[in-house]
Amino acid sequence: MLSRHRAGSAAAVLLITLGSVVPGAGASAVPSAPGGQVRHIHQRGTAEYQPTGTGTGVPAALSTEIPHRHGDDARVSAAAGADRTLAPAGATRAALTRSATTPAPPPPPGVIRTPRLLTSFDGINHRQQRTANNGNQFSLEPPDQALCVGNGHVVEAVNDAFRVYAANGTGQTGVVDLNTFFGYPPAINRSTGVFGPEITDPVCLYDPTTRRFFLVVLTLGTTRDGDFTGQNQLDIAVTGDPTGVWKTYSVDATDDGRNGTPVHPNCPCIGDYPHIGVDAYGFYLTTNEYAFFGDEYNSAQVYAFSKRALARGDADVLVTQFDTTAADAGRNGFTLWPAQSPSTGDYDRSQKGTAYFLSSNAAEEATGTDDYVSDSIVTWSLTNTRSLDSARPAVRLHDTRVGVHRYSLPPLADQKAGPAPLAECLNTPACATVLLGAPDPLAPETLSRLDSNDTRMQQVTYTGGRLYGALDTAVPAGGATKAGIGWYIVQPRSSSSSVHASLLRQGQLGLAGSHLIYPAIGVTAEGHGVMAFTLTGGGYYPSAAYAAFDGHAGAGAIYLAKAGVGPQDGFSGYRAFNDPPRPRWGDYGATAVDGHRIWIASEYIGQRCTLSQYVADPFGSCGGTRTALANWGTRISLIKP
């Protein structure tokens, strides 16, 4: 992910990771549908798990380990580290259990269910992704965790690796890098120095109607020498068996007229921060569109497909693209998150099929100012989605604002002090010389505070006629301003020409002395839910946590799925690699509803080691638990709400 203004695209990598991208072959435009432009995309090929060898994880020369970013990526926005927030009132007090098995205090009135942790296991960690494909990978932060569950499979994808698990955590596949999975050359061939495409921002879902898994990534093109070309595309993979063969499609996101794309200002552009959802008829993909070689932001883009055409593996599929420039009462749309539903009975079939999205509008991309404060969120509807199955889709996009309590940019999140061998190495001339080739001229390094996201909407669920969403915000907790969560339950109503929405419930979740960051809400068809997030603070290492969440009363008591055992100690938090540093975390967590149970996934730190263990042979591996440059991990848990 880039600076705050491009949170999501190209994860902070320890070098750029790209090669030539093959655009969707033969893409062509057809006349625009009402409110959107329609064009053809064609099946690109297949993707599948392929076993690969494991590298050592020992850092190569930093010229092929640390990214040389373009445009906004070449520097970090001052806003990324500034605490410029105004704390909203009314933060919810939450009690925290010290372990998942210790009973929680009574939940607030109306929260009638106490969630039970059924199973929990480690997902992909940084070492596994860096050493995949014989080590022909880059050091990446953050993981940008994708999670989808169905047909007895638990699928996880991160920057930049993929694995399928059984429900008990047993691997049904090994860890494979996403370049190999999608059939691209390695991110970097460390024998020849040739770059391949950079893949980033993985997202996935399981659709209960078609019984298909959908996995989407943003793929950025470079030359063989690693220079960006401006070409980028959204790669879509679809399958019924995630351990088998997936059919793949590519949607060009440059929007400069190539491959049937519209011509937008400041392009070629990048389709940043993709997210996906479904309704009864359609599959939806949204992006934030930025100039590829500049700082300009255009607006959120919405892509609508027939999900049955994708599920069938049709050779030719229509996509309808909407541009949300000035759509929100003159503001540009930003991070429209499409809704997912837990069951086929939850879709809104009125208006010949209606899909929903939520977004917030406090970010600079929407307002044109850097205040990051708002008292409204936005509900979007896409109507007549049944027409996506026809030869002439005629879907229409509508939006309306919903008034909420003020939310604002959260402060950086601190973490419990502990051994941070990368920071200690950078502060030790002999060790820094081994790592950097010279002593760190910017020493001393200090333990970083974690990026707490901005105010963009996170995962959205539609069930029982209600939309559920959450975002990161500043909250008052224990007499201080902390990073916390704003959550919303909205009841939308669509007509053929507009959408209306009522706010049913809202709240803000905070914890004295700690921070709650990167929320994701999952809700069953019965209205029982869980909200996952990372918990960190002066008394906690970054931990995988969750809260009870009820469809009527909202968020309740907080629990730990797995406590972190050490501090985050990754390259993006230190000046030697990024000055000023931006300690990357999250971008997003994930939930996936599986019948009456909910899977959650969050980033956490599952290892710790001392400097002496770090400098042992092999350098930086700490007994095979991390790499020299990063130590993030992911935790996957099954909850019965």
Side-chain angles (χ1 to χ4, degrees), residues 8 32 40 111 327 360 465:
S32 294
H40 292 273
V111 178
S360 61

Side-chain angles (χ1 to χ4, degrees), residues 43-54:
Q43 189 183 128
R44 185 176 71 86
T46 60
E48 61 184 312
Y49 169 73
Q50 302 175 41
T52 58
T54 301

Side-chain angles (χ1 to χ4, degrees), residues 1 44 63 119 133 141 179 182 204 249 266 284 320 358 475 487 531 566 615:
M1 165 168 141
R44 185 176 71 86
S63 62
T119 189
N133 194 15
E141 289 188 313
N179 284 62
F182 277 97
C204 68
Y249 299 83
N266 313 309
Y284 308 101
T320 305
L358 286 179
V475 299
W487 56 263
M531 181 162 63
V615 299

Side-chain angles (χ1 to χ4, degrees), residues 299-316:
S299 66
Q301 305 296 304
V302 178
Y303 301 86
F305 312 76
S306 163
K307 70 178 181 182
R308 288 172 177 81
L310 293 171
R312 289 191 304 260
D314 289 4
D316 182 284

Side-chain angles (χ1 to χ4, degrees), residues 165-179:
Y165 304 88
N168 63 2
T170 303
Q172 295 179 335
T173 69
V175 176
V176 64
D177 65 293
L178 287 176
N179 284 62

Side-chain angles (χ1 to χ4, degrees), residues 209-357:
T209 303
T210 60
R211 298 179 63 83
R212 293 293 187 272
F213 293 85
F214 293 81
L215 173 65
V216 173
V217 297
L218 171 62
T219 304
L220 308 176
T222 62
T223 66
R224 290 167 55 88
D225 296 326
D227 294 325
F228 283 106
T229 66
Q231 172 66 39
N232 67 109
Q233 63 197 43
L234 301 156
D235 284 329
I236 304 168
V238 188
T239 190
D241 177 6
T243 67
V245 176
W246 302 57
K247 300 288 182 65
T248 61
Y249 299 83
S250 294
V251 181
D252 194 303
T254 52
D255 283 356
D256 59 356
R258 73 182 82 181
N259 296 311
T261 63
V263 178
H264 289 173
N266 313 309
C267 291
C269 289
I270 183 171
D272 186 37
Y273 208 63
H275 288 287
I276 55 179
V278 291
D279 75 339
Y281 307 103
F283 171 77
Y284 308 101
L285 196 168
T286 62
T287 65
N288 291 328
E289 184 172 280
Y290 296 86
F292 201 102
F293 295 111
D295 297 336
E296 298 87 357
Y297 174 72
N298 285 342
S299 66
Q301 305 296 304
V302 178
Y303 301 86
F305 312 76
S306 163
K307 70 178 181 182
R308 288 172 177 81
L310 293 171
R312 289 191 304 260
D314 289 4
D316 182 284
V317 175
L318 291 174
V319 56
T320 305
Q321 179 178 349
F322 292 86
D323 184 311
T324 65
T325 297
D328 171 27
R331 293 184 179 183
N332 297 333
F334 178 63
T335 310
L336 275 66
W337 201 299
Q340 301 180 27
S341 294
S343 71
T344 58
D346 274 310
Y347 302 130
D348 186 347
R349 289 178 168 82
S350 68
Q351 307 307 318
K352 299 180 181 179
T354 300
Y356 291 106
F357 311 72

